[in-house]
Amino acid sequence: MSARDLIVGEAELDSQEDDESFDEETGEVRPKTNGVNGINGHIDDSSEEEDDDDDEEAAAAIRKDFIVEDDEEPEERERRRRERKKRRREEREEEEAGLDEEDFDLIGEANPEFERRTTNEPKLKRLKRGHKEDRDGHRPKGVDNIFDSEEEDEDDYRNQRQLHRADPRNARDEFADFIEEDFEGPDGAPDDDDADIARTTGRAYTGIKDATGLDEAALEDMKEAFGEGDEYDWALNIQDQEDEAEQRVIDPDDPDAIAKGLELKDVFEPSQLAEKLLTDEDNSIRAVDVPERFQLARKPYKDLLLTPEQFKERGNWISDLIWDRKGLPSELKDPFRKAVAKVLEFMAVDEYEVPFIIQHRKDWLIHSQKVPVTPDPSNPGAPDTVLDAKKLLTHSELWRIAEFDLKFRALVEKRNALSDTYTRLQDMADFQDDILEDMLPTATTMEELQDVQDYLHFQHASRLANLAAMNASSAANGTHRRPGSSKALFDRVRNSKVYGLVRAFGITADAFAQNALKEGRPHYTEDPTERPDDLADSETIMDPPDYSTGAQCLKAAKAMFAEEIFLSPRMRKLMRLAYYQDGVIECFRTEKGLRRIDENHPYYDFKYLRNQQMRDFARQPDLFLRMIRAEEEGLVEIKIRMQNAESFKKKLYSVIESDNFSEVADAWNRERREVLDMAILKLNKIMARGVKENLKNECEDQVAQRCREEFTKRLDQAPYKPKGMQLGTIPRVLAISNGAGAFGREAVCWAWVEEDGRVLENGKFTDLFLGDPERGQEDGVDVKALVKLVERRKPDVIGLSGFSADTRKLYKLLEEIIERKDLRGAEYEDEDNIERTDRLDLVIVNDEVARLYQTSQRAMLEHPGFAPLTRYCVGLAKYLQNPLKEYAALAKDIISITLDPAQSYVPQEKIFKFLETALVDIVNLVGVEINDAVSDWYTANLLPYVSGLGPRKAQQLLKVINLNGGSVATRAELVGDADQQRIGAVGQRVWANCASFLYIDFDSSDQDADYLDNTRVHPEDYELGRKMAADALELDEEDIEAETSENGLGAIVRKLVRDDQQEKVNDLILEEYAEQLERNFNQRKRATLETIRAELQVPYEELRDNFTLLSSEEIFTMFTGETRDTLYEGMVVPVSIKRVGEDYIEARMDCGIEGTIPLSEISSRSDISPRQLFQQFQTVQAKIMYLNRKTLAATFSLREEEVRHPAKKEHDRVPGDWDDAQERADKESMKEQNDVSGRTQRVVKHPLFKPFNSAQAQEFLGSQARGDVVIRPSSKGVDHLAVTWKVSDNIYQHIDVLELDKSSQFSSGGTLKIGGKYTYTDLDELIVNHVKAMAKKVDEMMLNEKYQNGSKAETERWLSTYTEANPKRSVYAFCIDPKHPGYFFLCFKAGQHAQLQSWAVKVVPQAFELQRNMYPDMMSLCNGFKLLFTNMQSGKRR
């Protein structure tokens, strides 16, 4: 056997080379072939195949789990044979006539105009790769081009499967479909080593002469006798065209794709279409002329129609919800209600979004009235009244109205559904329920409607069952179905004689609730003449066999009456009012919380919290949300109770009891009290649950609103204003950063960004430091380079930021360079028109957007050759140039920005919804130049937030503009212009919403340009603007008519601008004009007229605030990640010693802040040198004595008496709000436990060592990156250490390290062993070669395309869904095992009907372990898995 045979054999074992492949897009299975027209050297002779066609197809069908039918038509088999012959003939002809790469190169050299033929690859398709043979010449499809979009012929698949089965070297199984592009190098190219191993040895097919054994003359004779065989090519061509149309890959960006024969949904997965907004629903949203955000929000209620009464009810309902928090005078309540009703009319009837209302209907949001003033004797001509205007609704409240409108629609929909159910019940069985008819129309909350629904299902359960049976029978086309024979317990009681005992209680549940609520006339409780037990024993009550004894009857009656009270809508209303008025919230720690929540834990401030009112959490909503999170973690239990529960219950006793004085009355009252106790017990549970849920939602809304307000501040920033320039001018920026690098030791990156956003230069500074002329020390080389760069480019500002406290040092250095070298910015003219320059500005930039930008796909596409830190600098520069565009470009990633400390406790969907409204507000405040949006995608990112638009309509808008020529001349063009053959980009309603927020730069040289198209003036108010311009120019009607007839409708405004007479509009008196418009046309336009006046002078003036510089506190948090709550003076923290001197020590905290330890704070003993106590790189506990948050410097103390007494946070607690007794008891208990199980605390000289237990280590690593490590003491003794590292979010692996060769009890071991298998000499080696090696493997696993970022159940659902959509394919995926850190699940499904299976994959240093086999990388793991499964299946078949 030769070496080549060994190599071939090795390749055949590899499932990638020999398994079947499958097309990911089409699901077609392709067998592996090893020759042009043959398999493993077998000649592809049709005469051999035809004899075994039926057997081959049957065998293939069996393997595919299909049923073989023996009665197949002969005509069908004959048709398939003809198709196979034709395809093989075409392949041979194409091969013989084909040109290889060298032929094309020769043609290109001879004829420079020749264009090389290229393959039309469909878009949105994975990269295909092949082995060396594929690059060298033609090869049939195999593993290498497994994802080729062309489908294999089904019959070829069967034939090749049969031939492979005949060759033992080509053993195959149904699991071969798993192979997917495993031979891949790091750069996406084929791995040459794997390709070499995978070479095949099949013989090449040389042509027809070799196959038939005939020479050319004999072939000619054969053709003359039998013809060319193309008599029926016309029919086969038609079939081929149909097949090609079915297999064509559609370009989603091709507008004619559907016309070519297929719809997108026929080719792409639903998730792909949804991601690109190309589903049928998305297309419908584009087509409907309603604002996109309205369509999405109202989707659940699109079929709901409100009656006029419900319209009025909605206005009052929403007004009541907002009014209580307004704090306006009571005399404004009626105008406020009218304003809310008008806003709802704008939203629901006119389909206007919030930005339109706030901009063009703001007069309806203001209440103005003339107030008389005292006459001024010195000014007899002064008016006797002044206009007093009060704003009724704010921006945020308009968004709340829109949200409340949705809630009201949900309320009405549910109420209508209940009313419809009640009506159908009445139609079926003639009855009347007064409680339903009273409570249903007056229900104003979802809780009250739920109460009514619960009552309906309880009181009329049997009728509802009959109604459901009738509906089912009618839906089954006459198939009758018997109603259920089993009845609920309470139905049996209600339909038995025992219910007479319920009536004997003397009052109904609803009457009792009415008395308690003091509604209507009072109802009196009547006592029967017999005692409860005597009456229960009577024949009138007992109802055998279910209720054959008096005790059974009484027990059932009491349970029934208690249930009626519990389900009474009025009783629930009473209890809900009591809970909201007198309810208190208390927090109780669990056994787990007792151990986990210590005084340094963030949850300690509510560990023993008691007696908190609802209003207390209104002031601090984050407190309740943290309590909810702690409860979810099992650390505390939240309990809600009524403050005066006993007195409340006694009041209810007095209401339900009778006033009679007798032994019988006392007996019945005892039973009534017991019934009430049973009902209240159940009511307490449901009320507490409802109050908790409502309070949680309210707190979430408050935190989300705080995030919105903070985000609005960050959006409401104009570009950084260069000196001497107007607000809104884009600066030229030089951005510099050292990233996370150590100052002075690592390179500093920089990028120069022009005002148009182009990055013209970038580079690095490696020798940037100032010398000392007095000592003869020269400046670093890069100081001169920086000076030359500034002098050449003349930046307006230098932006600086970074990831560590060392960035503050870089800032100080740049400040000194600017001052010493007198670096100056660009020249500008001052107020006296004198050219001047100022000292160059240096700004620390908020980097929250740049951090996301540097690793984003967007940055990699824009600057593919830049280093991540250079892209980070680009992000800083662009943030200085336009913060709004940078935030808008993040899209849904904006939720990654921290805006509030409690933001993480609120669902991300809710946070995004609130942040989106802030983006909508500011984008519409700034406006979008529509032609810039067409040519610049950064500007186009703003379009989805324009009023009336959204992602889908913005896409449609840009698409239509490009179809119309790529530019917009007037706003009116957006709705289409048949005369100019312009397609409408938006409908009339959407256009009305967005028109004024899409502006077009005014070109004075264009006679058709309308100046008002460049303003915030809405087209509906253009006539007002033109009239104001005419009045300012003092033109009469004849002058106006002459000007407009000659130069168009916009001529008057153009004349005003051309003559530079805009300031004349300030002389106009608009008040009278506004009164005239309101009086004659009912149009409130006072504020609109002021807007027109301002826009005629300065169109689309910059209304954002000045660029906000970061405060010292914000810079401190950005560079260190710490806040005043997490780092403060008096706190004890671990520090790493950098340098030990004779009388001082320099140390550094984990957050990067450096500080000194003076001699007096090192030790209380003055006779010992610091170098005798401490050494460099040692980690020790130190107390912060002084912290300078501006310079990021600190002073520490190492003295034992200081470290033992850290500062404690002072909590301002009201007496009675904290359970001091429980706190003391718990501390004593924990102290006793520590005394029993306590051990000497170890300290290891390593920067990663922390004196933590496992819980503290996990908490510490919670905010760290994946793969970060903590070394800590072990509970197994002084000869063990524990290493905890973060596998993934909330998943941590604890590694036990055995220490050998220890010189003393507390020293580190000279040999470290893990699991008796791995041995290391020190902790650094262990961290790098063990933990970091495993972390690298975890990253490799999670970055693999086969990894599913979800639970095992979610992964298995995905596998099932995938195989259902692709029944011919097998699929596998990896997911993490959260219960066993360091393990992953390999889940797989070998076909649609196969069983879901999973194997465990263990991460070990440098490898993955599967079934006790080691695999060095993911490709080897995948191939090994396939081979293991193949062998397992082969074993089963044997």
Side-chain angles (χ1 to χ4, degrees), residues 129-194:
R129 295 178 283 100
H131 293 293
K132 280 186 176 179
E133 292 95 0
D134 302 322
R135 297 195 295 270
D136 296 337
H138 178 78
R139 275 190 67 188
K141 295 185 180 69
V143 175
D144 312 304
N145 49 6
I146 192 167
F147 287 104
D148 198 341
S149 61
E150 298 177 4
E151 289 187 345
E152 289 285 351
D153 181 77
E154 184 177 352
D155 299 291
D156 289 344
Y157 163 75
R158 294 192 178 108
N159 294 334
Q160 293 174 8
R161 281 290 293 265
Q162 180 70 18
L163 289 172
H164 271 258
R165 187 179 61 180
D167 191 336
R169 293 176 301 168
N170 289 303
R172 313 172 65 91
D173 59 79
E174 69 273 19
F175 217 71
D177 296 47
F178 280 115
I179 306 174
E180 295 187 20
E181 289 187 53
D182 287 340
F183 286 169
E184 182 176 13
D187 57 353
D191 190 317
D192 292 337
D193 294 338
D194 291 331

Side-chain angles (χ1 to χ4, degrees), residues 53-99:
D53 272 339
D54 295 339
D55 294 338
E56 294 168 16
E57 292 168 22
I62 291 172
R63 285 191 297 271
K64 302 279 289 179
D65 295 332
F66 289 113
I67 298 174
V68 179
E69 296 183 2
D70 296 329
D71 55 350
E72 184 179 13
E73 295 294 333
E75 293 83 3
E76 181 68 13
R77 289 198 296 271
E78 184 64 27
R79 183 187 65 80
R80 286 203 302 273
R81 291 193 187 98
R82 288 198 302 270
E83 291 177 2
R84 285 197 300 276
K85 289 180 181 179
K86 178 181 179 298
R87 286 192 177 92
R88 284 192 291 273
R89 183 175 67 252
E90 289 176 347
E91 290 173 358
R92 289 193 296 270
E93 292 172 357
E94 182 179 354
E95 179 189 357
E96 293 170 357
L99 296 176

Side-chain angles (χ1 to χ4, degrees), residues 577-596:
L577 288 172
Y579 261 84
Y580 280 112
Q581 291 174 0
D582 299 323
V584 293
I585 300 175
E586 297 180 325
C587 191
F588 295 87
R589 55 96 184 132
T590 62
E591 286 300 318
K592 181 180 178 182
L594 171 64
R595 298 186 301 272
R596 291 281 300 276

Side-chain angles (χ1 to χ4, degrees), residues 10-74:
E10 189 71 28
E12 289 174 349
L13 284 176
D14 191 336
S15 59
Q16 170 152 4
E17 286 301 307
D18 202 45
D19 286 355
E20 297 167 351
S21 64
F22 58 94
D23 191 304
E24 183 169 313
E25 296 175 353
T26 65
E28 179 68 25
V29 180
R30 302 197 199 93
K32 173 76 172 65
T33 58
N34 292 329
V36 176
N37 280 321
I39 302 174
N40 291 342
H42 294 278
I43 295 176
D44 189 0
D45 192 340
S46 61
S47 63
E48 296 176 9
E49 292 177 348
E50 290 174 11
D51 296 336
D52 298 327
D53 272 339
D54 295 339
D55 294 338
E56 294 168 16
E57 292 168 22
I62 291 172
R63 285 191 297 271
K64 302 279 289 179
D65 295 332
F66 289 113
I67 298 174
V68 179
E69 296 183 2
D70 296 329
D71 55 350
E72 184 179 13
E73 295 294 333

Side-chain angles (χ1 to χ4, degrees), residues 212-227:
T212 61
L214 301 177
D215 57 15
E216 293 183 6
L219 287 174
E220 290 297 329
D221 294 339
M222 183 182 69
K223 289 180 180 179
E224 290 179 5
F226 299 102

Side-chain angles (χ1 to χ4, degrees), residues 679-745:
I680 289 178
L681 187 64
K682 298 181 69 174
L683 284 167
N684 282 335
K685 293 179 181 179
I686 192 173
M687 290 299 115
R689 186 166 60 246
V691 168
K692 184 191 294 187
E693 189 63 31
N694 287 340
L695 185 57
K696 176 187 173 185
N697 290 333
E698 181 63 26
C699 290
E700 287 178 351
D701 288 344
Q702 288 192 43
V703 172
Q705 179 62 28
R706 289 194 327 213
C707 292
R708 181 189 186 278
E709 293 169 359
E710 178 61 30
F711 192 47
T712 300
K713 292 178 184 177
R714 302 189 190 186
L715 293 172
D716 192 14
Q717 299 181 82
Y720 182 85
K721 178 180 173 296
K723 292 179 180 177
M725 301 295 180
Q726 290 184 346
L727 186 65
T729 304
I730 305 297
R732 294 172 298 177
V733 182
L734 174 62
I736 301 177
S737 176
N738 65 325
F743 176 74
R745 295 201 300 269

Side-chain angles (χ1 to χ4, degrees), residues 416-433:
N416 289 348
L418 288 173
S419 179
D420 181 60
T421 301
Y422 177 57
T423 302
R424 286 187 286 127
L425 286 178
Q426 286 184 310
D427 294 340
M428 184 186 67
D430 189 14
F431 74 99
Q432 183 174 352
D433 191 317

